[in-house]
Amino acid sequence: MEPSAAPSLSATPVRIEFVDGLRALAALFVVLHHAWLIIWPVYYKEYPEKGWPESLTTWLSYGHFPVTFFIVISGFCLGLPIARKGAEGWKGAWNFYSRRARRIIPPYYASMVVIGILILTLIGERTGTHWDGNATINWGRVGYAFLMLNNVVPGSSINGVYWSIAVEWQIYLVFPLLVVLWLRFGVWWATLAATLVGYAVAYYTANTPYILLSGQFYAMFALGFLAAYLAHNPTWVKRLSKVPWALVSVLLLAALGFHLRTISLMTAMPWFPIYDIVVGLAALCVLLAGCFGDRRVNGLLCTRPLLQIGAFSYSLYLMHMPILQLAWQYTIRPMWLPEWEQFKLLAIFGVPACLLTAWLFYILIERHFDPAAAKRSRQEHVV
């Protein structure tokens, strides 16, 4: 990404740097969420004990919402060329599919191979953690994951995060249609269409085996490309640039957090499509704040550690779950410590292990399919 603490909307840089920092925060939240589930797997009705463990960690049970952020960010990034250049920014459906496939699929398949080997050798037994849902491997599971249909067929994943990769890929399949609507009828109609269709899917799949189709994410994706449009349309820039978007985002998330503090994850899950509206709007607000040059947002998100993690956040997302299970199963479980102590150790040592593994996976695999990596390499070479 081009470095810019306060991006210039008229300069239209190739990338907007703060987005990498936002990806990093979302990925780190997901890692901590799964560390929490390793110790307190809610599907086994395990929860932190009352007191400090519950007060300090229960918010980590909501790892669904960083995925919402990821989807909004994805819509924003893919909408940027069209927001900046209109029809000239769209190079056609085939070009889009080929670029997305090259970027997403090879690291995804490589992670399947690595995780499959780990399941067959080291983490294929049920240990009473959240990983148990992934511990069995067979050709059916591998096949559905290979085709990115593991969110359609319940219990068909070998990695708990793959369902969201499948959802995003399915959104990509309809993105060209949304582009046609955007260019022909305007971004507002495209956003409305994605929202209506997406929430219709969410409504009709609720309480069914197909709930992981997550239709509401089509609306979240549309909020992302709407944010790109608002941040680059001169008329809307003039109207919106003075709004304290970061504050609005904080207020939205605080209101949702206040609501969720008295209910459990299992109680909240059926209402995720509704809560996603709040989280999606909060993500839109953060994106607008960054694009409009909010110093606090850019100052936080453009710190070097976050930018570095953001560069390999996809690898971190793909690889962290089995590494957390390995760390817990072979180093923490044998100590027979109280759950609260186990979680602290997993957070202190397991999360860095995930970061190191993800960085190595990025160096060996992902960066060869990441156009941004080539651009960063050329910039470093020039410097």
Side-chain angles (χ1 to χ4, degrees):
M1 291 187 178
E2 296 291 335
S4 173
S8 168
L9 297 177
S10 61
T12 62
V14 176
R15 290 166 67 88
I16 299 178
E17 191 171 39
F18 76 89
V19 174
D20 268 353
L22 192 56
R23 282 197 190 97
L25 285 180
L28 288 170
F29 191 120
V30 172
V31 175
L32 287 170
H33 164 68
H34 285 124
W36 189 90
L37 285 177
I38 290 287
I39 307 303
W40 296 291
V42 295
Y43 302 113
Y44 287 139
K45 301 187 184 304
E46 295 284 343
Y47 296 94
E49 61 183 278
K50 298 292 183 180
W52 285 112
E54 181 184 53
S55 301
L56 293 177
T57 69
T58 301
W59 60 277
L60 289 172
S61 63
Y62 292 102
H64 171 90
F65 297 134
V67 178
T68 309
F69 260 79
F70 277 125
I71 297 296
V72 177
I73 292 169
S74 181
F76 174 79
C77 292
L78 294 178
L80 278 176
I82 306 164
R84 290 167 174 162
K85 299 180 181 180
E88 294 181 5
W90 176 245
K91 298 180 181 179
W94 177 251
N95 184 279
F96 169 76
Y97 288 138
S98 62
R99 286 186 289 112
R100 284 289 88 192
R102 175 177 170 80
R103 178 69 185 90
I104 299 297
I105 292 179
Y108 174 79
Y109 286 162
S111 73
M112 284 182 60
V113 173
V114 174
I115 292 170
I117 292 171
L118 290 175
I119 292 173
L120 290 172
T121 56
L122 295 173
I123 49 175
E125 65 173 292
R126 292 182 173 271
T127 56
T129 73
H130 186 69
W131 181 254
D132 284 0
N134 310 292
T136 302
I137 190 168
N138 55 52
W139 287 113
R141 282 189 158 209
V142 172
Y144 287 122
F146 182 86
L147 297 173
M148 292 193 185
L149 293 174
N150 44 290
N151 66 320
V152 178
V153 182
S156 61
S157 184
I158 62 171
N159 185 359
V161 305
Y162 281 173
W163 71 270
S164 60
I165 306 297
V167 170
E168 186 160 5
W169 183 253
Q170 290 152 18
I171 293 173
Y172 291 161
L173 295 180
V174 302
F175 180 58
L177 176 60
L178 295 176
V179 172
V180 171
L181 292 174
W182 180 350
L183 294 177
R184 184 164 184 178
F185 301 105
V187 70
W188 297 100
W189 285 107
T191 303
L192 178 62
T195 301
L196 292 177
V197 172
Y199 270 90
V201 172
Y203 177 80
Y204 285 107
T205 57
N207 302 314
T208 75
Y210 307 106
I211 191 171
L212 286 181
L213 284 171
S214 305
Q216 74 273 17
F217 281 168
Y218 290 78
M220 301 303 107
F221 186 86
L223 284 179
F225 64 66
L226 177 62
Y229 170 80
L230 294 175
H232 292 83
N233 180 276
T235 301
W236 285 104
V237 169
K238 185 175 181 180
R239 293 176 180 175
L240 302 177
S241 59
K242 301 301 181 182
V243 177
W245 292 108
L247 177 60
V248 176
S249 179
V250 169
L251 292 176
L252 286 170
L253 294 176
L256 179 61
F258 183 81
H259 168 74
L260 293 174
R261 67 186 177 88
T262 58
I263 61 178
S264 70
L265 173 64
M266 301 304 289
T267 303
M269 283 178 66
W271 298 96
F272 276 175
I274 303 302
Y275 299 147
D276 279 334
I277 297 173
V278 179
V279 178
L281 289 173
L284 178 146
C285 292
V286 173
L287 290 169
L288 290 179
C291 286
F292 292 150
D294 187 300
R295 293 177 180 269
R296 290 163 296 184
V297 169
N298 284 282
L300 170 65
L301 296 179
C302 293
T303 56
R304 186 172 179 81
L306 286 182
L307 294 179
Q308 290 175 328
I309 294 172
F312 61 88
S313 59
Y314 182 43
S315 291
L316 180 60
Y317 192 74
L318 289 172
M319 294 301 300
H320 72 274
M321 276 196 74
I323 302 306
L324 288 171
Q325 177 67 16
L326 278 168
W328 176 82
Q329 186 172 329
Y330 289 100
T331 63
I332 297 175
R333 182 175 67 163
M335 298 181 187
W336 295 102
L337 297 171
E339 291 176 343
W340 173 234
E341 299 300 325
Q342 291 185 49
F343 175 75
K344 288 191 291 185
L345 286 176
L346 192 56
I348 293 171
F349 298 105
V351 173
C354 292
L355 290 170
L356 177 59
T357 303
W359 178 75
L360 291 172
F361 185 86
Y362 175 82
I363 294 297
L364 295 173
I365 306 294
E366 185 193 349
R367 71 184 178 98
H368 300 292
F369 306 95
D370 181 8
K375 292 176 183 177
R376 285 192 293 268
S377 178
R378 285 196 299 269
Q379 289 169 357
E380 291 171 1
H381 180 73
V382 170
V383 173

